[in-house]
Amino acid sequence: MAKFTYLVVIAPHLTAVSFVAMPSARKIYLKSYQKQFLEVPYIGDFDRVRVKENCLDILTKELSRKMPRGLIGLGAMSDSYNHYEKNLQVTRGTLALIERYGFGVSLETKRDLVTRDIDILKRISEKSSCILKLSITTSDDSLARKIEPFASLPSERFRAIRQLSDNGIFTGVLLTPVLPFITDSDENIKNIVRLAHEYGAKFIFSLFGVTLRDIQRDHFFEKLERYFPMLKQQYMMTYSDHYQCNIPDMARKRALFINECEKYGLLYQMDEIIAAYKQDQPEPEQLRLF
């Protein structure tokens, strides 16, 4: 008999969740917060979001009856710890439901507010798969203030990694995106890997570039002109209208990255990272929600 997983879609009117059988899905991806504009740039005002009303009531109903249990992904589409979360606590409520109904969690964020929920994350990790990914693009706080104005400073995110790791939560770094000519220096790559090790990360993963859709590109170039006026022309000459913008000298810098990871004993390949965070228990059916 084929094993079916589920594709779960929160309807645009925010009042229903639809489950569709999917044989190849790997995770649930849940957006408790939704960006007002899907085509958002990396540099600049990417923090315009709206809360999905009634999402906790919807999830309570759906997660309580869907079997078997799987892994729920948070933060891939919109940061679950945006500045509204401190007061609204939608993400905290979501994590509480994940724990209550026996699911695992995969969460990525750029904000140290995640440490507020260590109590719930720790309980999830004790009985299911749990992985935390702090996205860190630069080790330089002053540069981060320009390219990530709404995120916690890198120094704050590294301290969050230490707190999460000290509480037994499998935590690491997403070195993504890597912005060509801005955060792709050998020094920055080496610093992030070193700091990941020093603050207790178990892994670090990178794709060595940035993606730019049409609307993203326009806004991105606008911000380049404001903060890095010499780079706009360089981007246009190097990448034109390409969607995938890999960093120059990518092969050498990836080799440098791998060498640093191996020096510090950090996992850096996705299959090894996935194998490491899964507990030694019967593997659940994995679901996908977005």
Side-chain angles (χ1 to χ4, degrees):
M1 179 180 297
K3 295 181 178 180
F4 283 96
T5 52
Y6 294 89
L7 170 65
V8 190
V9 182
I10 297 184
H13 48 78
L14 310 178
T15 60
V17 176
S18 301
F19 281 73
V20 182
M22 295 287 287
S24 60
R26 293 294 181 183
K27 293 179 183 177
I28 292 176
Y29 284 107
L30 167 64
K31 295 188 295 183
S32 299
Y33 294 96
Q34 181 172 336
K35 293 175 183 175
Q36 289 182 345
F37 304 101
L38 296 180
E39 305 288 354
V40 290
Y42 188 71
I43 298 178
D45 185 6
F46 60 85
D47 210 42
R48 299 177 182 178
V49 297
R50 62 187 174 91
V51 65
K52 285 182 173 290
E53 298 174 8
N54 304 320
C55 68
L56 296 183
D57 291 337
I58 296 168
L59 285 171
T60 298
K61 178 181 177 182
E62 298 296 339
L63 296 184
S64 65
R65 69 187 185 187
K66 292 301 170 183
M67 290 290 289
R69 299 311 187 221
L71 189 71
I72 295 179
L74 298 176
M77 302 300 294
S78 180
D79 201 315
S80 298
Y81 288 97
N82 58 70
H83 61 271
Y84 298 108
E85 170 60 21
K86 185 174 182 180
N87 293 323
L88 295 180
Q89 299 196 21
V90 174
T91 298
R92 182 170 176 83
T94 299
L95 290 172
L97 290 174
I98 289 171
E99 180 203 358
R100 179 190 305 174
Y101 294 111
F103 288 85
V105 68
S106 170
L107 191 154
E108 56 189 81
T109 183
K110 291 178 177 290
R111 293 176 172 85
D112 62 351
L113 181 59
V114 64
T115 59
R116 178 201 63 188
D117 297 332
I118 282 177
D119 56 335
I120 303 177
L121 292 166
K122 189 173 182 178
R123 292 196 298 269
I124 293 173
S125 69
E126 288 170 352
K127 54 189 177 183
S128 188
S129 296
C130 181
I131 178 171
L132 269 290
K133 297 160 283 184
L134 275 291
S135 176
I136 301 177
T137 303
T138 175
S139 60
D140 184 341
D141 282 358
S142 60
L143 177 58
R145 288 187 176 96
K146 295 179 181 178
I147 64 176
E148 302 175 313
F150 299 100
S152 300
L153 294 173
S155 58
E156 295 169 334
R157 278 174 267 175
F158 279 117
R159 288 194 291 271
I161 289 171
R162 168 56 65 195
Q163 287 184 257
L164 292 159
S165 295
D166 285 350
N167 279 274
I169 299 165
F170 191 86
T171 307
V173 172
L174 294 180
L175 176 48
T176 56
V178 181
L179 302 179
F181 315 117
I182 299 174
T183 66
D184 62 344
S185 69
D186 290 7
E187 180 184 15
N188 186 56
I189 293 170
K190 292 171 72 172
N191 281 344
I192 291 179
V193 175
R194 174 181 57 80
L195 289 167
H197 165 71
E198 291 178 358
Y199 281 87
K202 300 295 189 297
F203 65 89
I204 180 167
F205 181 76
S206 183
L207 293 175
F208 301 101
V210 63
T211 57
L212 294 174
R213 295 180 178 87
D214 292 340
I215 300 176
Q216 283 180 312
R217 186 180 299 105
D218 293 342
H219 201 124
F220 184 82
F221 284 172
E222 178 185 324
K223 297 301 179 181
L224 280 179
E225 204 160 38
R226 177 178 177 184
Y227 294 111
F228 309 97
M230 303 300 294
L231 290 183
K232 180 179 177 180
Q233 188 63 28
Q234 192 169 6
Y235 264 82
M236 294 176 69
M237 292 177 59
T238 305
Y239 301 109
S240 183
D241 59 352
H242 293 175
Y243 169 70
Q244 180 68 43
C245 305
N246 293 329
I247 63 175
D249 202 11
M250 179 175 171
R252 184 189 65 80
K253 290 182 179 181
R254 176 170 172 77
L256 170 69
F257 168 79
I258 291 172
N259 183 68
E260 292 298 301
C261 289
E262 292 180 346
K263 179 170 74 174
Y264 292 112
L266 290 169
L267 300 172
Y268 58 88
Q269 297 188 76
M270 184 54 68
D271 57 346
E272 294 180 351
I273 295 168
I274 292 172
Y277 81 73
K278 289 184 177 180
Q279 291 188 346
D280 186 18
Q281 57 180 283
E283 184 174 342
E285 294 284 343
Q286 294 199 345
L287 314 175
R288 184 175 184 87
L289 167 64
F290 66 88

